[in-house]
Amino acid sequence: MSTVFTSSTIPLSFRPSHDQPHTHTHTHNKPESISPSEPPISNNEDSLSPIINCMLAGGFGGMVGDTSMHSLDTVKTRQQGLVHHLKYKNMIPAYITIFKEEGFFRGLYGGYTSAILGSFPSTAAFFGTYEYTKRKMINDYKLNETFSYFIAGILGDLASSIFYVPSEVLKTRLQLQGRYNNPHTIGCGYNYKGLIDAIVSISKTEGGKTFFFGYKETLFRDLPFSALQFAFYERFRQLAINYNGSNDLPVSMELATGAAAGGLAGTLTTPLDVIKTRIQTSTGTESSSSSSSSSSSSSSLKKTSPRPLSSTFQALTSIYKNEGILGAFSGVGPRFIWTGIQSSIMLLLYQISLKQLDSMLDSHDKNTFA
């Protein structure tokens, strides 16, 4: 009989499904109904999953989620980074165009290796830091749970960004370029033979600091995104509980609330994502905007944003002047879908993986002390 995962396995606080006070054994009894207005149960240290399990489960969930949505992320990156290529203007035609011209793996999944190499450690770092901070603040310092989740999420993003940003720089450039000597992305500013060549070329020609281009902008995007995502998720989940008449939500409803929260948060933070992409894909080969009147050739218009756009305000101002307010929402369609589906998949797989890891740990403990 297949296992049914209900809301008890996907709590807002990412508390493992087997959290029960005063016990270390895992039971499969249906949890007692909890009033929607009742505050969450405090974490009990004896029943919490080991931090290493949280990191492994989070890394796996993030890796699968990123893999499933990478092609849409490529479309979003092309829309944000190649704004003068009209064939990428609309999401579905752009998806079909990339597939027909460049193929699935070399086109839509360009930059995938870099994405996965950064996905597992960054997500593992997030969940490890999140769980450790949350437990310390709630159990040791007796702080408010909502406040603890918020701070834990911020610190989790900070820890994650150390791994995420360098891989994001490589990923976005390889996504923008596509395959080596790609005739369909001429003017993008890059022509790397692969991931290794990109790392070597960037290190030699632009310096190691280039791998952290857009670091500040990434934090400006991710911190508000996380805060909005969990605020929306809490509200949507409460509405779902009221509609369902029970805290035990089916997986379909859990996925729907997670997708709605992630998608809406992703939509609202799209301008910050556009700024990050423009800065990370900057080649530094163009002159500043002050000399645009004397060097505004058609080829220069095809290039990506110049490195003087390192300032968030300058980047936003430049986007608004050249593309209007809609320019700040380039790629909003793919980002809405990507953040929604990726978030729901990651959270569900995180809980399922964590449950399996804890079950394996219990079996090992029982065999050890038998």
Side-chain angles (χ1 to χ4, degrees), residues 69-267:
M69 303 309 297
H70 185 82
S71 59
L72 274 178
D73 187 53
T74 298
V75 174
K76 181 211 69 165
T77 301
R78 293 282 181 96
Q79 289 182 331
Q80 293 178 349
L82 296 174
V83 294
H84 299 288
H85 286 59
L86 298 180
K87 61 183 178 180
Y88 301 131
K89 184 177 181 180
N90 298 310
M91 181 179 68
I92 295 178
Y95 195 101
I96 296 173
T97 297
I98 296 173
F99 176 75
K100 287 183 176 180
E101 292 182 346
E102 305 173 50
F104 187 76
F105 293 105
R106 303 183 72 180
L108 291 171
Y109 269 75
Y112 174 73
T113 303
S114 174
I116 290 305
L117 289 177
S119 178
F120 186 91
S122 64
T123 316
F126 174 85
F127 279 103
T129 304
Y130 180 90
E131 284 292 334
Y132 177 82
T133 305
K134 179 188 71 176
R135 296 174 190 184
K136 276 289 184 183
M137 296 182 72
I138 294 175
N139 295 330
D140 294 352
Y141 304 134
K142 311 300 180 184
L143 297 177
N144 175 268
E145 290 192 347
T146 301
F147 175 76
S148 299
Y149 301 148
F150 182 81
I151 297 299
I154 290 177
L155 294 180
D157 276 334
L158 288 173
S160 176
S161 66
I162 298 174
F163 303 96
Y164 176 75
V165 174
S167 71
E168 180 80 355
V169 171
L170 292 166
K171 176 182 73 70
T172 53
R173 290 191 175 200
L174 291 170
Q175 284 177 317
L176 207 61
Q177 166 197 311
R179 64 180 174 85
Y180 180 58
N181 286 333
N182 189 356
H184 304 291
T185 57
I186 295 176
C188 73
Y190 319 112
N191 192 26
Y192 306 122
K193 296 179 180 179
L195 177 60
I196 301 300
D197 181 56
I199 295 174
V200 174
S201 298
I202 292 173
S203 299
K204 287 183 177 180
T205 61
E206 302 176 62
K209 65 180 182 180
T210 303
F211 294 109
F212 285 90
F213 270 8
Y215 185 81
K216 177 180 64 176
E217 287 72 24
T218 299
L219 294 183
F220 284 169
R221 178 198 67 176
D222 289 349
L223 296 185
F225 173 79
S226 296
L228 289 171
Q229 181 186 27
F230 285 106
F232 291 144
Y233 181 69
E234 183 174 9
R235 177 57 179 166
F236 293 159
R237 193 168 182 277
Q238 186 61 60
L239 293 174
I241 289 173
N242 293 338
Y243 176 82
N244 191 56
S246 170
N247 278 15
D248 287 333
L249 299 179
V251 170
S252 60
M253 197 169 288
E254 286 287 5
L255 290 174
T257 55
L264 184 54
T267 298

Side-chain angles (χ1 to χ4, degrees), residues 229-298:
Q229 181 186 27
F230 285 106
F232 291 144
Y233 181 69
E234 183 174 9
R235 177 57 179 166
F236 293 159
R237 193 168 182 277
Q238 186 61 60
L239 293 174
I241 289 173
N242 293 338
Y243 176 82
N244 191 56
S246 170
N247 278 15
D248 287 333
L249 299 179
V251 170
S252 60
M253 197 169 288
E254 286 287 5
L255 290 174
T257 55
L264 184 54
T267 298
L268 294 177
T269 54
T270 295
L272 299 177
D273 187 52
V274 173
I275 292 172
K276 176 201 70 68
T277 299
R278 298 289 174 86
I279 290 176
Q280 288 182 332
T281 56
S282 169
T283 61
T285 57
E286 296 177 58
S287 59
S288 62
S289 57
S290 62
S291 61
S292 59
S293 58
S294 61
S295 60
S296 56
S297 63
S298 60

